[in-house]
Amino acid sequence: MAAKGSDTDFYWGSGSFPCWRAMLCLAEKKVKYQSHLLSMDKKEQKTEELLKLNPRGQLPIFKHGQVIINESVGICQYVESAFKGQGTQLMPEDLSQQAAVLQRSLEAENVRQKMVLDTLMYMWTTKPEDINQDLLKQKKQNLAQEVQYWEGYLAKQGPGSHIAGKDFTVADATFWPSLAFLVRLGLPIQSCCPNLAKYYEMVKQRPSVEETWPPHWKNTSGPDYFKDLF
């Protein structure tokens, strides 16, 4: 959401899970900000100017006045507090419900870890002839087990529910990008995970998701790495 003259800036990369998490929260809270789409392939996030904002040279970077936050879950929690009176309430008032949201928000990193860092990075950085098929199979089994955890969470929540309850919260913003990427990479969601499939179709229709859909995904399809996950 662009806002010329705003004191809020957001630097991001298309398809980045952490960036998408934060963008979903910003959209849900109706925060106006100046959008800075950077090319991570060109390492635009590592310029001298941006390294002053985030010495790690990573995205996202969120700047609200003098406040700078570079961790996606932190951005989500901050905008919920800083813009509490507008948009979607992303953190419930009830303490037990807050606990559920925080648990799922932090737990969602397991999906990204097992999908991207454990499985995809192994596939991308290993020569095809050097891939250990037994090891790759084990990595995919670990990912499949992780997906089943989330299928089970939704089954317990009941029809029409979100990740941590009946409403869309920070937990959904942190989990959604991983699920969307799994589907893009061939997860047979309709056959393997009926509860996740219903959840996917429901959340995909949210205006915040449509507004923040990764630009380079709109006219392209992903490789079907996970068509055989189940």
Side-chain angles (χ1 to χ4, degrees), residues 5-202:
S6 169
D7 67 346
T8 305
D9 294 87
F10 186 72
Y11 301 82
W12 59 287
S14 179
S16 159
F17 291 15
C19 292
W20 200 0
R21 292 170 179 171
M23 291 177 77
L24 286 168
C25 290
L26 290 165
E28 290 285 343
K29 297 301 294 182
K30 301 187 184 304
V31 177
K32 295 181 179 181
Y33 60 89
Q34 293 192 62
S35 173
H36 307 272
L37 174 58
L38 305 178
S39 170
M40 293 182 286
D41 290 339
K42 297 178 181 178
K43 301 187 184 303
E44 291 180 347
Q45 77 278 18
K46 296 182 182 292
T47 63
E48 182 178 354
E49 176 189 359
L50 292 183
L51 286 174
K52 292 178 182 177
L53 300 178
N54 186 355
R56 295 181 183 274
Q58 298 173 341
L59 297 174
I61 298 172
F62 175 73
K63 186 174 184 294
H64 180 222
Q66 298 302 308
V67 174
I68 299 172
I69 308 177
N70 301 317
E71 292 294 334
S72 60
V73 177
I75 294 170
C76 289
Q77 293 180 349
Y78 175 82
V79 299
E80 170 62 14
S81 297
F83 301 93
K84 197 173 184 65
Q86 65 188 59
T88 304
Q89 182 177 351
L90 296 175
M91 184 64 72
E93 299 291 342
D94 180 80
L95 285 177
S96 64
Q97 293 177 6
Q98 283 186 26
V101 170
L102 291 170
Q103 171 65 33
R104 296 293 180 251
S105 297
L106 298 176
E107 191 179 355
E109 182 62 18
N110 287 291
V111 187
R112 189 176 79 95
Q113 172 72 41
K114 293 175 182 177
M115 173 175 39
V116 179
L117 303 182
D118 292 350
T119 306
L120 291 176
M121 288 303 294
Y122 178 68
M123 296 169 66
W124 291 338
T125 61
T126 307
K127 294 180 180 179
E129 62 271 22
D130 292 335
I131 288 180
N132 182 317
Q133 293 299 327
D134 290 335
L135 178 58
L136 179 58
K137 181 179 179 181
Q138 183 60 57
K139 289 177 180 293
K140 286 188 173 183
Q141 287 176 345
N142 293 342
L143 175 57
Q145 177 60 64
E146 183 64 37
V147 171
Q148 283 301 311
Y149 287 143
W150 296 87
E151 171 70 8
Y153 296 155
L154 284 171
K156 289 180 180 179
Q157 292 286 355
S161 67
H162 290 80
I163 285 299
K166 63 183 181 65
D167 298 318
F168 185 96
T169 65
V170 172
D172 299 280
T174 55
F175 173 69
W176 169 261
S178 295
L179 178 62
F181 197 43
L182 279 167
V183 173
R184 177 174 170 81
L185 298 188
L187 176 71
I189 193 170
Q190 295 292 341
S191 59
C192 75
C193 314
N195 293 292
L196 278 170
K198 293 175 183 177
Y199 171 82
Y200 178 85
E201 293 302 328
M202 175 179 67

